[in-house]
Amino acid sequence: GLGVVVLAFAIGLLTSSTKRDVQSITQQQAQAIDQLTRDHRDTTQALRKSFEGVNERVEEITPAVSNLKEAVAGLGEGMEGLEERVERMRPRIKQVLQTAAASTYVVVLRERSGVENPHATAWVVGEGRLATNAPVAEAVQTVLDGSGTTGPLAVKTVVVRSPGAVPRDHRVTGVVIHPGFRAFIDLWDEYRPTGMSPQGRLHSVRPAGVACDVALLEVEDGEHLAAPLPIAPQDVLEQLGPGDVAGLVGYPSEDLSLSGVNLSEPTPTTQIAHLTAVTNYFLAVAEPADRLLVQHSIPVTGGASGSPILDQDGRVIAVLSAGNIELTPLG
């Protein structure tokens, strides 16, 4: 009987301890659940406030988004034809030079013996007239008035010859030289500007260019000349500056192989480069009316004198007057 009582007492102690443990665990769980509940509530409130701010911001930017959509829609409409417009804006210098070549003639000196030599370049400026530079016209004038040398090598006739496989000649019958050309040279010679070399020696200063270096050649059968080249208007000339694309069409011949030109089928040379400066004749900044010296990086040599220099729209912006050439020895 005693053993049964002890066992029962032990079971009673175990049962009492287990109840306390269960109650303790249940209380901890309840506390944990309560803490989770509070944390969840706090998080929910924070998220609610955040979303309220987001909603307010969305309401603020909604009109801007609507405007953006309208702008994008308008941009789409504006993009139509953009490629075509860009293509029209591309430099067309190659095409305009090819077109200008048909109106660019080689000036040919024909000796009494019949030998012909390329001399310079001229281009159609109007019916019966071609433009070139003043020294070319002065040389032609000596032939026309007979003041040149005599003998079998003397030049008898001057013609301008069209390009192509079947060229056409037009005999030059008269010249018109800008009166300012000789006036500038005489003024320069009168003052004889000098400079000081690094070694301390005085030397004559060479002009950067001769003002008014332009002339006209009048020819026979002028109605059969090619179309005149357009000349750039004054507002375009006033806007010229460094970096502008420019091209030249002409007949360079001096010191070139085969004299540079096949007179049986004249083919003008074309060059494409850029303007490097537009100044007065003293290389200084000036008012538009005095910015008459157009400097460029186009390679030139004798024979190209008088060539038209064109912009990318095919308009003549200058006449080739001179170039800086530096000869370097071989080997």
Side-chain angles (χ1 to χ4, degrees), residues 145-323:
D145 61 20
S147 60
T149 58
T150 59
L153 299 182
V155 176
K156 178 182 180 180
T157 308
V158 180
V159 301
V160 292
R161 180 167 296 169
S162 66
V166 186
R168 184 169 191 158
D169 286 352
H170 299 264
R171 188 171 68 88
V172 179
T173 58
V175 301
V176 179
I177 302 173
H178 196 297
F181 174 71
R182 274 294 149 191
F184 181 89
I185 293 177
D186 292 342
L187 186 63
W188 190 274
D189 289 343
E190 179 182 350
Y191 280 90
R192 295 185 179 181
T194 58
M196 184 75 70
S197 70
Q199 292 76 27
R201 292 191 295 269
L202 290 176
H203 62 87
S204 297
V205 175
R206 186 178 65 176
V210 179
C212 309
D213 188 3
V214 65
L216 298 174
L217 304 181
E218 299 173 336
V219 300
E220 290 181 337
D221 202 20
E223 66 273 16
H224 293 112
L225 289 171
L229 295 181
I231 298 176
Q234 186 64 31
D235 61 329
V236 172
L237 296 176
E238 291 179 359
Q239 295 299 318
L240 294 177
D244 286 344
V245 176
L248 175 144
V249 183
Y251 296 89
S253 58
E254 186 176 348
D255 294 326
L256 298 183
S257 300
L258 300 176
S259 297
V261 184
N262 182 341
L263 291 179
S264 298
E265 300 181 6
T267 302
T269 294
T270 60
Q271 297 281 357
I272 300 173
H274 295 85
L275 302 186
T276 57
V278 183
T279 65
N280 63 17
Y281 284 100
F282 300 95
L283 306 182
V285 177
E287 294 297 320
D290 294 324
R291 295 170 69 241
L292 300 177
L293 183 61
V294 178
Q295 301 172 56
H296 54 81
S297 57
I298 300 173
V300 297
T301 188
S305 296
S307 296
I309 297 177
L310 306 99
D311 66 9
Q312 62 183 17
D313 291 318
R315 299 169 296 195
V316 179
I317 57 175
V319 179
L320 182 65
S321 172

